[in-house]
Each structure stands twice: as C-alpha cells, then as structure tokens.
C-alpha cells in the first residue's frame, strides 16, 4: 500500500510539474526556445512560478473517475469509469479551459448533445489520451486485460483512431514498469509492448524498435527526435509524442530533472511531452525524486499540491481494496476564476512571442 501510494503520488505530481515546466515553451521551435530561454532551471510562466494545463487536469479527472469506478466485473467497472470520466469532461469544458485540443472539444460537444461515452470520440491520432493514462498503468498494470479495457475507454471517449490507443497503451505499460521499479532494457520493453498490442500495430511497434535501437547506440533524445522528423519540435501527433517520451524516460529512468529538461529542450508540444515523461519518471522516483524547488514553486489552485497528494492517497486505497469511493472535488467557481486568470496569462505570453528574439 505504501509503495502504491508513493508511485501514484509521484505519477500525479510528476505530470503536474512536467506540464508546468513545459508550458511556457509550448509551441516554440527548438531554436527559438533557446533564444527565449537560454537558461531553463525553473518555471518561466509567471515570475518563477508554475501553473498547469489540461495535461494535469485530465490526469486528476481520470484519477477521480478511477476512484469512483471501483473493482469487480470488468465490463461494469469500465462502463462506470467511462460514465464518470464523461461527466467530468462535460463540466470541465464549462470551466473555460485554455488550449483544449480540437478533437477533445468536438468529443465533449458530442457528449453534451447526448452521445454516450462509447460513441463520443472523433477520428484523431492526437496525443490527448496518451497524456492522461499513465495512472491506469500504475494502478492496474498487473492485470493487462483491465489495463487495456480502461485505457480503451479513456481513449475512445475522445479519440477513435487506433493510433491514439496504441500510444496510450504504450504509456500505460511504461508507467506500470516504472512504478514496479523493474529493471528493463529498451529491447525488453519493446518485446512486452508487442505482447500487449499484438499484430495490429506494426507501424508503431517498428517505431518503438527504433527507440530501442537509438538508445542502444547511445543517441540523445534530440538525435532520435530529429531522425523521426521532429528536429524543430515534437508535434501533437501521437506517433511523435509517445516514442520521444519513451526515449527520454528510458534514457533517464531515475533522473526526473534530466528527463524533463531534455524533453522540453526538444521544442514543440513541450507541456504534453514533459507531462508524459514526468509521469513515467515520477512513478518510479516518487515525490522525493522531483526537484523540491519545482514542487515549492508550483502555484496551482484550487487543485493544490496538497489536494493532489490527498487524491493520490484515496486512489491508492481504492486500488488496494477494489471498492468504489468518493473522490475529492474542487469548488467550480474557484476553478472558473482560476481559468480566467490562466487564459489572460496565456494570451499575454502569446502576444510576447510576436516580439523578438526571432
């Protein structure tokens, strides 16, 4: 129980800190990011303080939905999980989140007009599902059928392209192995992923073999990213995000700071790639493995660090006993006020990017 809580807490906080660290750099090319932020040892969003984006919000909503779904019959659990997650996504949209992906937006609109969670997704291979499912691997990776079913439900509620599901399953498997403290080589991971995905994901599995080969050759994550066409920045396409994140995780499995900073320096969709890498390394390193100054300077509210830690404790208990529980909620008016401020901050950063350095 103590080890499970440590892994869950590390995964949630690792997601939040990686997300917040990468947020100020999101959308900048690798070259322009280096001009804007030649030094990157802390948050660059607001006077050395960090805030989180949808990567963290989806992760905690998924955690709340796992708590409420309980154990028992897999079909019933999956249905309950999908229903709870769909409800949270609906209300999340009304709180005016910034930077919502177009596929996720369309899917939530479908939920609002009456589509059930099993039919609300749209055909997209974006990285939205991959950014939120690491917790499923941490909690249920020992039961591959349950992990696969929950990842599928968490994916298809917004994204129906099989590529999105393959990428999400790869993240969940990595999170499971990381949380277990398993010593695993990149080639071993590729083999386990082949067992999990079967023969339907040949293109993706070929990319993971490429990750293993790059690591065996001692290449940096930047070198690998350039080799798959992401030299200027990692896109939101799941076949870019996930292989790069897996490369950074396996290159620095125990070093949260090094893994996250190397990922951010790649440019592109930095908040999501850093959130995924942060979740994977955090699941092994725990809270104590995350730089203390990054945790101290994360000014997230009303989902504070303490609130996330409490959520992790409840989820660990429910994963252990298999019973459905009550997830902690936040004041929706406080969340709306926070998001209004956050949107203004994001817009200010966007306007700043219209100015030099180019």
């Amino acid at each position: 129980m103590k080890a499970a809580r440590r892994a869950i807490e590390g995964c949630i906080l690792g997601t939040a800190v990686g997300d917040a660290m990468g947020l100020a750099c999101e959308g900048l090319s690798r070259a322009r990011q280096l001009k804007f932020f030649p030094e990157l040892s802390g948050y660059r969003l607001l006077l050395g303080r960090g805030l989180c984006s949808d990567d963290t919000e989806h992760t905690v909503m998924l955690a709340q939905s796992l708590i409420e779904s309980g154990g028992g019959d897999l079909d019933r659990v999956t249905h309950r999980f999908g229903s709870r997650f769909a409800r949270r996504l609906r209300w999340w949209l009304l709180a005016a989140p910034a930077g919502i992906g177009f596929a996720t937006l369309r899917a939530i609109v479908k939920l609002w007009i009456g589509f059930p969670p099993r039919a609300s997704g749209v055909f997209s291979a974006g990285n939205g599902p991959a950014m939120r499912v690491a917790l499923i691997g941490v909690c249920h990776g020992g039961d591959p059928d349950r992990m696969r079913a929950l990842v599928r439900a968490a994916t298809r509620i917004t994204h129906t392209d099989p590529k999105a599901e393959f990428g999400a399953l790869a993240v969940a498997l990595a999170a499971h192995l990381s949380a277990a403290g398993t010593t695993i080589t990149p080639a071993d991971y590729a083999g386990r992923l082949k067992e999990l995905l079967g023969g339907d994901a040949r293109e993706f599995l070929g990319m993971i073999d490429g990750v293993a080969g790059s690591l065996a050759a001692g290449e940096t994550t930047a070198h690998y990213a350039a080799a798959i066409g992401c030299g200027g920045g990692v896109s939101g396409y799941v076949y870019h995000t996930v292989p790069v994140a897996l490369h950074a995780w396996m290159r620095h499995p125990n070093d949260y700071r090094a893994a996250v900073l190397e990922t951010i320096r790649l440019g592109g969709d930095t908040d999501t790639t850093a959130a995924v890498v942060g979740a994977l390394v955090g699941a092994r390193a725990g809270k104590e493995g995350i730089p203390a100054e990054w945790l101290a300077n994360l000014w997230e509210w009303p989902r504070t660090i303490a609130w996330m830690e409490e959520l992790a404790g409840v989820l660990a208990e429910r994963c252990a006993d298999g019973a459905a529980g009550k997830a902690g909620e936040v004041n929706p008016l406080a969340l709306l006020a926070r998001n209004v401020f956050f949107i203004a901050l994001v817009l200010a950063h966007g306007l700043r990017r219209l100015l030099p350095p180019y």
Side-chain angles (χ1 to χ4, degrees), residues 8-23 26 43 45 50-65 85 88-89 92 97-100 127-135 256 260 269-279 290 294-295 298-309 311-312 315 328 330 335 338-339 342:
I8 291 170
E9 185 177 85
C11 186
I12 294 174
L13 296 180
T15 299
V17 171
D19 175 16
M21 280 293 296
L23 188 57
E26 183 184 10
Y43 300 115
L45 191 69
L51 286 88
C52 301
S53 71
D54 58 335
D55 306 274
T56 304
E57 292 175 315
H58 280 225
T59 295
V60 297
M61 289 191 293
L62 183 142
Q64 292 170 309
S65 303
F85 193 46
R88 285 192 161 82
L89 286 173
W92 173 73
I100 182 172
N127 59 15
M131 78 186 185
R132 61 189 178 225
V133 299
L135 274 176
Y256 185 93
V260 166
D269 194 4
T270 50
D271 62 333
T272 296
T273 51
V276 173
V277 171
I290 301 170
W294 293 359
L295 285 168
L298 184 63
W299 279 16
E300 191 51 52
W301 178 85
R303 298 187 182 101
T304 63
I305 291 286
W307 184 88
M308 292 186 220
E309 291 174 339
L311 180 70
L315 179 56
V330 294
L335 192 58
R338 180 264 182 202
N339 285 348
F342 183 71

Side-chain angles (χ1 to χ4, degrees), residues 28 32 35-36 348-358:
L28 292 173
R32 194 162 189 232
K35 291 179 180 179
F36 262 94
H349 269 263
L351 291 173
R352 167 66 185 88
R353 292 182 183 186
L354 298 176
L355 303 174
Y358 297 115

Side-chain angles (χ1 to χ4, degrees), residues 41-280:
S41 59
Y43 300 115
R44 302 303 298 266
L45 191 69
L46 178 64
L47 303 175
R49 310 299 179 180
L51 286 88
C52 301
S53 71
D54 58 335
D55 306 274
T56 304
E57 292 175 315
H58 280 225
T59 295
V60 297
M61 289 191 293
L62 183 142
Q64 292 170 309
S65 303
L66 286 175
I67 289 168
E68 294 174 349
S69 63
D73 179 75
L74 182 55
D75 289 339
R76 185 173 59 198
V77 168
T78 304
H79 175 75
R80 191 183 301 134
F81 167 77
S83 297
R84 299 299 193 276
F85 193 46
R87 176 173 62 83
R88 285 192 161 82
L89 286 173
R90 291 189 192 99
W91 292 105
W92 173 73
L93 181 63
L94 294 189
I100 182 172
F102 189 46
T104 300
L105 174 62
R106 287 183 291 163
I108 298 176
V109 169
K110 289 176 69 176
L111 287 170
W112 268 114
I113 63 178
F115 282 83
R118 66 179 182 276
S120 59
V122 300
F123 193 78
S124 170
N127 59 15
M131 78 186 185
R132 61 189 178 225
V133 299
L135 274 176
I136 296 176
V138 174
C139 295
H140 299 293
D143 183 345
D145 290 338
R146 188 172 296 269
M147 179 176 71
R148 184 183 291 109
L150 289 169
V151 167
R152 178 173 293 137
T155 299
R156 295 186 180 180
I157 196 169
T158 54
H159 295 65
T160 60
D161 189 325
K163 293 178 181 179
E165 188 173 328
F166 297 153
L169 279 167
V171 170
L173 175 63
H176 163 62
L177 296 173
S178 186
T182 306
T183 300
I184 185 169
T185 68
D188 289 337
Y189 171 79
R192 294 198 189 197
L193 187 61
K194 287 176 184 176
E195 292 177 5
L196 182 65
L197 297 184
D200 295 332
R202 292 178 183 173
E203 180 187 1
F204 182 61
L205 291 171
M207 296 191 73
I208 303 307
D209 285 337
V211 171
S214 172
L215 289 163
E219 295 175 351
T220 65
T221 304
H223 188 283
Y224 172 76
I228 64 169
C230 297
V234 182
S235 77
Y237 176 44
V238 70
Y239 276 17
H240 287 163
T241 300
V242 171
V244 166
L246 293 174
H247 194 289
W249 162 60
M250 287 188 276
R251 182 166 149 79
H252 304 286
N254 302 300
D255 191 337
Y256 185 93
R257 185 189 298 269
V260 166
L261 289 180
E262 183 170 14
T263 301
I264 293 171
R265 281 306 193 192
L266 301 175
D269 194 4
T270 50
D271 62 333
T272 296
T273 51
V276 173
V277 171
L280 297 181

